[in-house]
Amino acid sequence: MELGYYPLQKYATGTAHPSNTVAAAFVSHFGQTHPSDNIVDNAINGTGAFQSELSSTRRVIAEASMVTVLLHIYAIDSMYEAIDKCSIEPWDRAVAALTGWAEGTDNAKGLLFMSIGRYLCSRAATCEVANAASPDHGQDAKVNKLMMLEFKSGRDAINEGLCAEATGHITKIETLILTELVDATAYFAQQVVENPSNSDNQADLYAIAWALIPLIKDTNAQQTIRNNVGLSVNNLSQQMVDQVLAALKTVVNEANIDCNLLDAAICGSESLTPQTGSDVSSALDSGVSSQSLLSYAPSTNVDSIIQLT
């Protein structure tokens, strides 16, 4: 089996596919050609917006941003590349970038972006059996299960030579990714209120919210979230969180997000009960061998290994 290693630096500084609206949104919002590279680089080196932040805070932001911004952009880019070339190999790489997938049939679940949904459903006790046919695959978030179905459907369309049809699956995947970012922003905003001494919560909130903000079309909702989740914001209050939740409700409506996929109190009136546990950064950096949810079987002989270090 041929091993394919894909250095993140190459894709952080490359030219995005013209159909990649996610990349275009980040470039437009930050006014920079390579915003994902700048965010991660500044967080690692303690420059720019992070020059006064503790190294522990910068680590959380760097890791979360690699997953929610850099690999997000790269995944969508690879999917469009798969359509252009009518080749399954770029599609498999895209799945790897979102799941941390390694070829095989191990029962371990996906890491990277899909850890966010799993983490949130575990906090809210809303996880479901990942695969009814194989209960030993454990529990997972509804949004992750839907995303995996889109991964497989897009792969199958390309395998059948119906490559243009995969575009619709990309659109659905983008909405599901947005769903997880919205849900995670709401969750960590509440966590900052409930556990104000936990600096990791604030760092997670910042990183995830800033992965979401450029994707929001409503400028008022954008500004409300930006004003309330900055690293310089001290003493985040419940009133401020409620403003963030109202802004997120606007995002849910404009993006046609399914409220049934959200664990946080965005669409309804009940609050998500904050629970203690490891933060999302540790879930993303658990060191567990990464295998895809439901054992996504690649159609190529390339084992795409995404390394964050």
Side-chain angles (χ1 to χ4, degrees):
M1 179 175 63
E2 177 185 1
L3 292 181
Y5 293 90
Y6 297 92
L8 298 184
Q9 179 72 16
K10 172 183 175 182
Y11 298 103
T13 57
T15 301
H17 191 283
S19 297
N20 190 339
T21 57
V22 174
F26 275 90
V27 170
S28 175
H29 183 83
F30 289 103
Q32 301 168 338
T33 306
H34 305 117
S36 61
D37 181 59
N38 292 332
I39 293 170
V40 174
D41 187 65
N42 285 336
I44 291 173
N45 295 311
T47 54
F50 312 113
Q51 58 184 341
S52 61
E53 300 302 326
L54 296 173
S55 59
S56 57
T57 296
R58 291 189 285 106
R59 174 186 178 276
V60 171
I61 292 173
E63 289 185 349
S65 296
M66 279 190 278
V67 172
T68 60
V69 181
L70 198 159
L71 289 176
H72 178 189
I73 292 174
Y74 168 68
I76 301 302
D77 233 49
S78 296
M79 289 178 180
Y80 282 112
E81 179 188 349
I83 292 174
D84 288 348
K85 296 179 177 178
C86 211
S87 167
I88 198 63
E89 193 270 339
W91 188 273
D92 284 344
R93 282 193 275 113
V95 175
L98 293 173
T99 67
W101 150 100
E103 191 173 343
T105 57
D106 190 274
N107 289 334
K109 298 182 284 291
L111 300 172
L112 300 178
F113 210 105
M114 299 187 82
S115 290
I116 298 175
R118 189 176 308 111
Y119 176 82
L120 294 175
C121 78
S122 69
R123 297 297 93 200
T126 58
C127 298
E128 298 181 346
V129 173
N131 185 357
S134 301
D136 57 349
H137 275 282
Q139 301 283 306
D140 214 306
K142 291 180 285 186
V143 65
N144 281 352
K145 293 169 67 177
L146 291 174
M147 199 179 306
M148 184 56 67
L149 288 175
E150 297 302 328
F151 290 157
K152 293 181 175 182
S153 296
R155 175 201 61 192
D156 293 345
I158 295 171
N159 268 334
E160 294 168 10
L162 305 173
C163 300
E165 292 188 7
T167 302
H169 297 294
I170 297 175
T171 300
K172 292 178 181 179
I173 290 166
E174 288 178 336
T175 300
L176 293 170
I177 288 174
L178 188 65
T179 300
E180 296 207 13
L181 290 174
V182 166
D183 211 9
T185 298
Y187 175 80
F188 280 105
Q190 189 66 55
Q191 285 296 295
V192 171
V193 171
E194 298 292 333
N195 303 286
S197 62
N198 188 326
S199 60
D200 281 358
N201 283 336
Q202 188 168 13
D204 278 323
L205 172 60
Y206 177 90
I208 293 173
W210 280 94
L212 168 66
I213 288 171
L215 306 179
I216 300 174
K217 295 181 175 64
D218 187 283
T219 55
N220 290 329
Q222 248 191 21
Q223 191 63 44
T224 296
I225 297 172
R226 184 186 299 113
N227 290 345
N228 288 292
V229 303
L231 290 173
S232 61
V233 175
N234 295 315
N235 302 318
L236 184 67
S237 66
Q238 186 61 54
Q239 182 179 10
M240 295 166 72
V241 171
D242 290 342
Q243 292 174 4
V244 170
L245 293 177
L248 292 174
K249 178 65 178 297
T250 298
V251 180
V252 168
N253 291 335
E254 74 176 14
N256 198 29
I257 289 173
D258 184 353
C259 287
N260 292 320
L261 299 179
L262 299 170
D263 288 314
I266 298 172
C267 298
S269 58
E270 294 184 2
S271 297
L272 176 68
T273 302
Q275 300 183 35
T276 59
S278 60
D279 58 35
V280 73
S281 61
S282 62
L284 297 174
D285 189 33
S286 65
V288 179
S289 176
S290 52
Q291 302 281 344
S292 71
L293 174 66
L294 309 190
S295 295
Y296 173 96
S299 300
T300 61
N301 65 345
V302 175
D303 183 8
S304 298
I305 301 174
I306 305 297
Q307 296 181 323
L308 298 187
T309 56

